[in-house]
């Protein structure tokens, strides 16, 4: 049974199946994407909720040093992007990390990664839709003076939590801050004024549902229309970010950059999840392989170009934000770009609010394009029902899979609390990055072909041990504390020790087998970012994975096309 669980698809077999599907013109996807379109899709996916919201909390924890974390995270993503690029040049088929894992690790691991990618695309898009709703409502209130009912703007869990906290605090009678009192009164009034079904108050996030429905429709009617919309949104939001950087430079007080790391490097690392969340998306390009004019040449370029552009923008934004306002002012600030201009230049705040709506719309669009194409690939392999591989005869998009994605994300955005799934999205994405980076080590050598990307080989035999020794030296206090307190250590520190063990094993293997530096660093850097995510999110991640394996053994294992060959 072990052999059947890890049965692999060869690259030649994948290419033959792909060519066979292309010979049937009604069943193929429309090839319209060039390197510029792919770069724009990458930027569309990356620049969104992260830069417009989560960077605020990260700046509070790390101070101006958060710019260093953007560089570290960019290097981490860079290692993974190069590994994705190597796979994309060899396997120019939709499916992203799922397809790549099928080639290198086998069927069960491929299923696991396909299931984990649902966290990045579908579940991650729920967070983006809720974030979009907040920006959109802010726009309606401050620019058009339109106030939607509060019960239409929030999920039931958030409303209930806010009501309980407010009633408890008000009953205690020790609320003195006028702003806090106003917020508590608002939470109680919103709860009491909500319509009821029996005795249960009705809360849902209607704007989030509507934008998901509109974006799903756009993804359904064609990649060409989606491409044009994404390109327009990218040009607009990048122009706004460059404008914010230039305008903000005139308000920068360099004294705010001292101290550079007020809470030390540990404070900077607290923002790992938030900063990494700001980079999620560049890999979504790999799901559109079958719609590229020249995927082996253009996809690697699109990934790397989009990552470089976003990194430069992020570092400059981080420095400008922490230069305009002291880092301590960013506590609980969910709209940092608008926040710094609120009193200095209110008209810029309005432009940022519009841009935030556009930015999150483009992220929604790219992920709503990505998820159906992963399901389409899994269905072709027999791991999901045939309906998921159905391509619309007129629009040439995976129609059924697109509708299912829209339903899941739309209903989730109506009722689910966003905080519940943000860390899960980061874990699922990092897990995919680790398998793609590790998978490159298992690929057979390929002949050099003109015009095709090839991952440069750098022998890690000496560099990796030196880097591991340097890491242990820099974190010697944490290593010592984790080892000496092992029996009564927190889950977070146990994860840290697991990371050290894996890093040591990979270092030894690198010395013995002369592994390439880039994929090894991709595995280790992503694994380190994973262990910095709170342990409670790991628990939910393992529950999600267990559910996925149950579905695989009940359906995928029995219906796999590879098993029948």
């Amino acid at each position: 049974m072990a052999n059947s669980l890890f049965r692999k698809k060869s690259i030649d077999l994948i290419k033959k199946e792909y060519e066979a599907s292309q010979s049937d013109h009604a069943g193929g996807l429309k090839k319209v994407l060039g390197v510029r379109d792919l770069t724009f899709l990458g930027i569309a996916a990356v620049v969104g909720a992260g830069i417009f919201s989560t960077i605020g909390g990260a700046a509070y924890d790390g101070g101006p040093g958060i710019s260093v974390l953007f560089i570290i995270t960019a290097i981490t993503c860079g290692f993974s992007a190069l590994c994705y690029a190597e796979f994309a040049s060899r396997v120019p088929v939709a499916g992203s990390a799922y397809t790549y894992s099928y080639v290198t690790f086998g069927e069960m691991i491929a299923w696991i990664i396909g299931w984990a990618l649902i966290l990045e695309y579908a579940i991650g898009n729920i967070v983006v839709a809720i974030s979009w709703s907040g920006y959109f409502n802010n726009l309606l209130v401050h620019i058009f003076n339109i106030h939607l009912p509060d019960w239409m703007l929030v999920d039931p869990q958030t409303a209930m939590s806010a009501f309980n906290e407010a009633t408890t605090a008000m009953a205690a009678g020790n609320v003195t801050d006028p702003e806090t009192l106003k917020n508590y009164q608002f939470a109680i009034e919103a709860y009491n004024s909500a319509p009821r079904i029996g005795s249960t108050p009705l809360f849902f996030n209607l704007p989030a549902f509507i934008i998901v429905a509109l974006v799903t429709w756009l993804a359904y009617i064609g990649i060409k229309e989606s491409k044009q919309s994404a390109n327009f949104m990218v040009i607009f939001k990048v122009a706004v970010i460059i404008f914010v950087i230039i305008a903000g430079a005139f308000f920068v007080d360099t004294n705010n950059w001292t101290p550079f790391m007020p809470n030390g490097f540990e404070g900077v690392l607290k923002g790992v999840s938030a900063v990494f969340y700001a980079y999620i998306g560049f890999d979504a390009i790999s799901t559109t392989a079958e719609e590229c004019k020249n995927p082996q040449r253009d996809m690697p370029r699109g990934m790397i170009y989009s990552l470089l552009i976003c990194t430069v923008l992020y570092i400059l934004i981080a420095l400008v934000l922490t230069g305009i306002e002291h880092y301590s002012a960013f506590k609980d600030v969910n709209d940092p770009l608008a926040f710094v201009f609120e009193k200095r230049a209110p008209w810029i705040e309005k432009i940022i609010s519009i841009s935030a709506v556009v930015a999150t719309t483009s992220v929604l669009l790219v992920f709503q394009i990505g998820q159906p194409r992963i399901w389409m690939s899994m269905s072709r392999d027999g791991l999901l029902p045939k309906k998921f591989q159905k391509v619309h005869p007129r629009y040439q998009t995976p129609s059924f899979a697109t509708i299912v994605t829209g339903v899941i994300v739309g209903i989730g955005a109506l009722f689910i609390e966003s905080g519940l799934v943000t860390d899960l999205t980061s874990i699922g994405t990092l897990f995919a990055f680790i398998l793609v980076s590790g998978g490159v080590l298992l690929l057979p050598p390929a002949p050099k072909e003109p015009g095709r990307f090839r991952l440069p080989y750098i022998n890690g035999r000496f560099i990796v041990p030196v880097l591991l020794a340097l890491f242990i030296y820099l974190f010697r206090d944490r290593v010592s504390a984790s080892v000496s307190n092992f029996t009564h250590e927190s889950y977070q520190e146990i994860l840290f020790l697991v990371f050290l063990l894996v890093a040591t094993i990979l270092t030894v293997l690198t010395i013995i087998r002369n592994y390439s530096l880039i994929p090894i660093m991709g595995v280790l850097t992503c694994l380190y970012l994973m262990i910095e995510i709170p342990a409670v999110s790991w628990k939910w991640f393992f529950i999600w994975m267990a559910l996925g394996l149950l579905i695989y053994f009940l359906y995928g294992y029995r219906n796999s096309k590879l098993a029948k060959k």
Side-chain angles (χ1 to χ4, degrees):
M1 184 179 177
N3 288 338
S4 60
L5 286 176
F6 297 100
R7 50 198 170 213
K8 298 177 184 178
K9 289 184 81 170
S10 68
I11 293 174
D12 290 337
L13 177 61
I14 288 174
K15 284 182 177 176
K16 281 177 187 173
E17 289 176 348
Y18 167 64
E19 285 160 8
S21 72
Q22 291 304 299
S23 63
D24 174 16
H25 296 293
L29 301 178
K30 196 182 289 184
K31 290 183 171 291
V32 295
L33 301 176
V35 67
R36 188 190 67 177
D37 302 314
L38 292 167
T39 304
F40 275 35
L41 277 176
I43 298 169
V46 173
V47 179
I51 193 64
F52 285 96
S53 60
T54 56
I55 189 177
Y60 173 72
D61 289 323
I66 198 70
S67 54
V68 176
L69 187 56
F70 275 112
I71 296 170
I72 293 169
T73 311
I75 292 168
T76 299
C77 292
F79 290 133
S80 299
L82 289 168
C83 294
Y84 264 95
E86 174 68 16
F87 268 114
S89 68
R90 293 207 201 189
V91 192
V93 178
S96 185
Y98 159 75
T99 304
Y100 307 157
S101 296
Y102 217 146
V103 170
T104 51
F105 293 109
E107 185 173 282
M108 189 174 76
I109 303 297
W111 167 268
I112 288 171
I113 204 62
W115 188 250
L117 284 173
I118 297 173
L119 291 174
E120 178 183 358
Y121 291 88
I123 306 300
N125 240 5
I126 292 171
V127 182
V128 178
I130 294 167
S131 183
W132 183 93
S133 175
Y135 294 133
F136 180 69
N137 185 54
N138 191 44
L139 202 65
L140 289 180
V141 172
H142 291 102
I143 294 181
F144 300 106
N145 201 29
I146 296 171
H147 295 263
L148 294 175
D150 301 315
W151 51 271
M152 281 188 184
L153 300 168
V154 68
D155 62 273
Q157 297 94 328
T158 301
M160 180 65 78
S161 298
F163 174 75
N164 289 338
E165 182 186 333
T167 49
T168 304
M170 296 289 276
N174 53 8
V175 182
T176 54
D177 179 53
E179 191 65 30
T180 306
L181 185 64
K182 183 181 172 184
N183 290 338
Y184 282 156
Q185 287 171 340
F186 173 79
I188 293 168
E189 188 181 327
Y191 186 86
N192 290 332
S193 61
R196 278 165 161 70
I197 299 174
S199 60
T200 306
L202 189 64
F203 287 98
F204 52 83
N205 199 325
L206 186 62
F209 178 81
I210 290 171
I211 191 61
V212 169
L214 291 172
V215 166
T216 302
W217 170 76
L218 190 57
Y220 183 89
I221 63 169
I223 190 69
K224 188 176 180 182
E225 291 75 10
S226 301
K227 174 193 84 171
Q228 291 167 345
S229 303
N231 288 357
F232 163 74
M233 288 187 278
V234 165
I235 291 168
F236 178 76
K237 69 182 177 183
V238 169
V240 168
I241 288 171
I242 292 171
F243 170 71
V244 166
I245 291 167
I246 295 169
F250 292 99
F251 296 102
V252 166
D253 178 358
T254 53
N255 292 320
N256 287 331
W257 288 336
T258 307
F260 192 67
M261 294 185 188
N263 300 313
F265 196 61
E266 284 188 9
V268 171
L269 287 174
K270 278 185 181 177
V272 160
S273 190
V275 170
F276 180 75
Y277 187 75
Y279 277 102
I280 286 176
F282 72 87
D283 56 306
I285 297 171
S286 61
T287 65
T288 63
E290 292 176 33
E291 286 139 306
C292 297
K293 296 171 187 172
N294 186 345
Q296 293 181 309
R297 182 197 69 191
D298 294 346
M299 284 187 60
R301 292 182 183 180
M303 279 187 205
I304 294 162
Y305 292 166
S306 60
L307 194 59
L308 285 172
I309 291 166
C310 292
T311 300
V312 172
L313 292 176
Y314 280 178
I315 292 166
L316 292 174
I317 276 285
L319 288 171
V320 166
L321 285 182
T322 52
I324 295 175
E325 199 75 62
H326 193 260
Y327 76 93
S328 59
F330 288 102
K331 186 177 183 181
D332 299 326
V333 171
N334 294 319
D335 53 350
L337 270 68
F339 168 73
V340 295
F341 290 107
E342 192 174 4
K343 293 172 184 173
R344 294 173 176 87
W347 61 277
I348 296 179
E349 182 196 3
K350 291 185 171 79
I351 294 172
I352 290 167
S353 295
I354 295 168
S355 180
V357 170
V358 172
T360 43
T361 305
S362 69
V363 177
L364 274 168
L365 177 59
V366 177
F367 282 5
Q368 289 298 96
I369 290 170
Q371 180 64 70
R373 282 149 183 81
I374 293 170
W375 279 340
M376 181 180 73
S377 290
M378 295 171 83
S379 176
R380 282 176 180 169
D381 296 327
L383 303 185
L384 286 176
K386 285 184 179 179
K387 268 279 192 183
F388 283 89
Q389 62 184 288
K390 183 184 175 185
V391 174
H392 196 283
R394 178 184 170 191
Y395 299 127
Q396 291 178 277
T397 56
S399 49
F400 179 76
T402 301
I403 291 169
V404 171
T405 304
V407 170
I408 290 171
V409 177
I411 292 173
L414 266 177
F415 300 112
I416 291 178
E417 188 181 2
S418 66
L420 189 67
V421 287
T422 305
D423 284 342
L424 266 179
T425 301
S426 293
I427 288 185
T429 308
L430 284 164
F431 185 56
F433 286 5
I434 287 169
L435 286 187
V436 169
S437 299
V440 168
L441 298 170
L442 304 178
L443 283 174
K448 197 168 186 179
E449 296 175 23
R452 200 190 83 178
F453 175 83
R454 191 172 182 182
L455 185 71
Y457 173 77
I458 303 167
N459 193 331
R461 188 175 191 181
F462 300 108
I463 302 172
V464 173
V466 169
L467 290 174
L468 178 62
L470 182 63
F471 177 86
I472 291 171
Y473 174 75
L474 291 173
F475 288 83
R476 58 191 181 280
D477 293 339
R478 186 175 179 184
V479 173
S480 175
S482 298
V483 172
S484 58
N485 299 319
F486 179 74
T487 51
H488 50 275
E489 201 61 80
S490 68
Y491 287 119
Q492 210 68 44
E493 294 311 303
I494 290 170
L495 287 172
F496 179 73
L497 290 175
V498 169
F499 166 77
L500 282 179
L501 178 64
V502 173
T504 304
I505 292 168
L506 284 177
T507 301
V508 171
L509 288 173
T510 303
I511 294 168
I512 296 169
R513 299 181 181 177
N514 293 323
Y515 280 150
S516 178
L517 176 70
I518 292 171
I520 285 291
M521 291 307 297
V523 171
L524 291 177
T525 51
C526 289
L527 184 60
Y528 178 74
L529 291 186
M530 271 184 94
I531 63 121
E532 290 295 339
I533 292 171
V536 66
S537 299
W538 279 81
K539 182 186 78 174
W540 285 108
F541 176 68
F542 287 130
I543 291 171
W544 177 260
M545 287 293 110
L547 178 63
L549 282 173
L550 181 66
I551 294 170
Y552 170 71
F553 284 113
L554 289 176
Y555 184 89
Y557 179 74
R558 298 177 184 181
N559 294 278
S560 168
K561 285 186 179 177
L562 199 59
K564 297 169 186 174
K565 291 184 179 178

